[in-house]
Amino acid sequence: MKAGLKVIKYRFVAFAASGLFIIAGIVAFIVNGGFNTGIDFGSGYSEKLQISPVGLYVSYDGPESATLNVSGGNLVLQLRSSNGLESHAFPSASYPFVSDLASGLESYGVDVELVDGSLETFRLVSGFGFPMTLGPEAEHINFATASRDVTISDIRDTLSDVKGLSVQVVGDTTDGIFQIKLPVEEGMTQADAEAIVSSRLKTAYGEDDIVVMQSDFVGPKFSSQLLMSSIKAILIALALILVYITIRFRLAYAISSIIALVHDVFAMLSLIAIFRLEVSTTTIAAVLTIIGYSLNNTIVIFDRVRETVHLNKGRDVDSMIEESVDRSLTRTLITSLTTLFAIVPLAFFASGDIKLFAINLTWGILVGAYSSNYIAPALLHYFHKLSPIDVEKEKKEEEYSLVD
């Protein structure tokens, strides 16, 4: 007996596996009280900050214009005068400790007040303070420590009186980097939300030890409009796909494809709900990408089904559906694996929105390949039972489409 996926034979197994996973996602959604929405859809203020000690204070009152910047994780001093620009880099390999860095800066006329010379320079923290324009007023430079005493519990206790606030650790727990999200009310500005967080943290840990690395704010009105626009985009995409496949093939193919695509969307949302991944505009971009990717696989298989039906009039349609899936399998695997080779490294090594997009896309590619080869063909089997495929009619429609 010829080996193959046997999509018709194992259709109940595929339906059961998909159903159980989606049900698990629904349960996770209910238990967790909804999705972990980003500020794009949930509205609010988001701030990523690092709690790190000050290594030194710097100032400059020379004739040149002095700027401190960070390049490749190393501090760079730029002195601009009428004679041009001078750049002086202080790599951590040559200046391993803050005391060494202080001596290097002083050699170029920068006034330095050393706070903790034992801190390692490769742990330089670059936040909103860089590029830093130096002047007579002292500016502080922070360095992370190998072990930080401040924990996520400490941050939550400090901000315990703020309603609806959530705190997460970013990266290694020893780095002391936290992501803080705060819901906002109508009329609240970004400055108001920022003041709520910063005033409490600065009181608890010192004003100069708080380094803001990223700050985002989305108002309630804008987030609701963005959510509705995203839903409309997905629905319009599905509607246009339904029209296209109906014209290109027949209604049974179109409905099978749309159900399979809706399955892909729910499978992705289930993964997001189970693992509490953030739902943002990046998620919508991943969903729309997967809709197009999965649809392409499905159309290739359905086109092969139609071709096989035309060439084998009188054969059992189920056997021809399975044969068509098997003949398209190599192409599906090559396409999926090639894409995964490019996406999976981003899911492991990237960060932020790119990492989230890569995780969603990786899962979407796997689910899309699965639904194209099992769910969509099995659904076509049922629609054929309801409305048998007319081989002669389909052959004429194919010839007409080829002429066009």
Side-chain angles (χ1 to χ4, degrees):
M1 182 179 294
K2 183 180 178 181
L5 294 181
K6 301 187 183 300
V7 297
I8 305 301
K9 179 179 179 181
Y10 296 116
R11 63 188 184 278
F12 295 116
V13 176
F15 291 156
S18 295
L20 288 174
F21 185 77
I22 292 174
I23 290 172
I26 294 173
V27 172
F29 176 85
I30 296 172
V31 171
N32 294 323
F35 289 116
N36 175 27
T37 56
I39 63 171
D40 295 352
F41 296 142
S43 78
Y45 174 72
S46 175
E47 181 176 284
K48 184 168 75 172
L49 55 86
Q50 185 167 9
I51 299 178
S52 52
V54 175
L56 47 82
Y57 288 90
V58 292
S59 60
Y60 185 78
D61 58 0
E64 299 92 347
S65 173
T67 304
L68 281 178
N69 207 342
V70 178
S71 177
N74 299 316
L75 199 66
V76 177
L77 173 66
Q78 294 180 328
L79 299 174
R80 185 181 298 275
S81 66
S82 57
N83 296 325
L85 177 67
E86 294 181 12
S87 291
H88 306 283
F90 301 91
S92 56
S94 302
Y95 301 85
F97 297 100
V98 170
S99 56
D100 303 317
L101 180 61
S103 300
L105 290 171
E106 287 177 334
S107 66
Y108 292 100
V110 178
D111 297 322
V112 178
E113 179 186 342
L114 188 63
V115 178
D116 188 349
S118 64
L119 295 173
E120 297 172 293
T121 56
F122 81 91
R123 297 183 181 275
L124 171 68
V125 176
S126 57
F128 282 172
F130 291 95
M132 179 186 296
T133 301
L134 301 183
E137 186 176 345
E139 302 285 350
H140 58 87
I141 301 178
N142 300 67
F143 298 83
T145 58
S147 177
R148 187 66 186 173
D149 294 333
V150 179
T151 65
I152 188 171
S153 298
D154 297 329
I155 299 295
R156 286 171 176 163
D157 291 340
T158 303
L159 303 172
S160 60
D161 60 329
V162 181
K163 294 182 179 180
L165 182 137
S166 66
V167 183
Q168 294 177 320
V169 175
V170 179
D172 195 325
T173 55
T174 61
D175 291 336
I177 303 177
F178 303 95
Q179 184 82 41
I180 298 174
K181 296 180 182 178
L182 171 68
V184 298
E185 301 175 356
E186 192 69 40
M188 183 181 289
T189 65
Q190 181 171 354
D192 296 332
E194 185 176 349
I196 292 174
V197 175
S198 62
S199 61
R200 290 164 174 77
L201 292 178
K202 288 177 180 179
T203 300
Y205 305 108
E207 181 174 357
D208 292 345
D209 284 5
I210 310 298
V211 180
V212 178
M213 310 179 77
Q214 183 179 343
S215 178
D216 298 297
F217 179 86
V218 176
K221 185 176 181 180
F222 178 79
S223 65
S224 62
Q225 291 176 345
L226 188 60
L227 177 60
M228 292 305 300
S229 298
S230 300
I231 294 174
K232 287 179 182 178
I234 294 176
L235 293 178
I236 290 172
L238 292 175
L240 292 175
I241 290 168
L242 179 64
V243 173
Y244 165 74
I245 300 181
T246 302
I247 295 173
R248 182 70 177 83
F249 295 94
R250 65 198 296 258
L251 185 59
Y253 292 86
I255 297 177
S256 301
S257 299
I258 291 298
I259 295 176
L261 292 177
V262 172
H263 160 273
D264 295 346
V265 173
F266 275 99
M268 180 178 288
L269 294 178
S270 295
L271 181 82
I272 291 171
I274 292 171
F275 292 98
R276 298 291 291 160
L277 300 178
E278 185 178 86
V279 178
S280 63
T281 50
T282 302
T283 307
I284 302 301
V287 168
L288 291 174
T289 302
I290 290 307
I291 286 176
Y293 191 93
S294 179
L295 176 66
N296 181 60
N297 278 342
T298 303
I299 287 179
V300 170
I301 293 172
F302 280 1
D303 197 47
R304 187 61 60 86
V305 170
R306 187 172 63 174
E307 176 188 349
T308 305
V309 168
H310 294 169
L311 296 174
N312 298 273
K313 183 178 179 180
R315 275 184 58 191
D316 178 54
V317 173
D318 288 352
S319 65
M320 289 189 283
I321 291 175
E322 290 192 334
E323 178 184 329
S324 301
V325 172
D326 293 339
R327 289 171 61 192
S328 305
L329 183 59
T330 301
R331 180 227 176 249
T332 300
L333 289 176
I334 291 174
T335 303
S336 300
L337 289 175
T338 302
T339 309
L340 287 174
F341 287 152
I343 296 298
V344 170
L346 293 177
F348 281 100
F349 302 113
S351 61
D353 288 342
I354 295 178
K355 182 181 183 69
L356 183 63
F357 179 79
I359 292 173
N360 289 329
L361 200 59
T362 298
W363 175 246
I365 290 171
L366 295 174
V367 170
Y370 158 75
S371 69
S372 297
N373 287 274
Y374 272 101
I375 303 300
L379 290 170
L380 185 61
H381 154 80
Y382 285 109
F383 283 112
H384 168 65
K385 295 294 185 183
L386 295 174
S387 177
I389 297 174
D390 187 337
V391 177
E392 293 299 328
K393 182 180 177 181
E394 293 235 333
K395 190 170 184 179
K396 290 180 181 179
E397 290 177 353
E398 184 182 26
E399 291 173 351
Y400 177 76
S401 65
L402 292 174
V403 171
D404 288 347

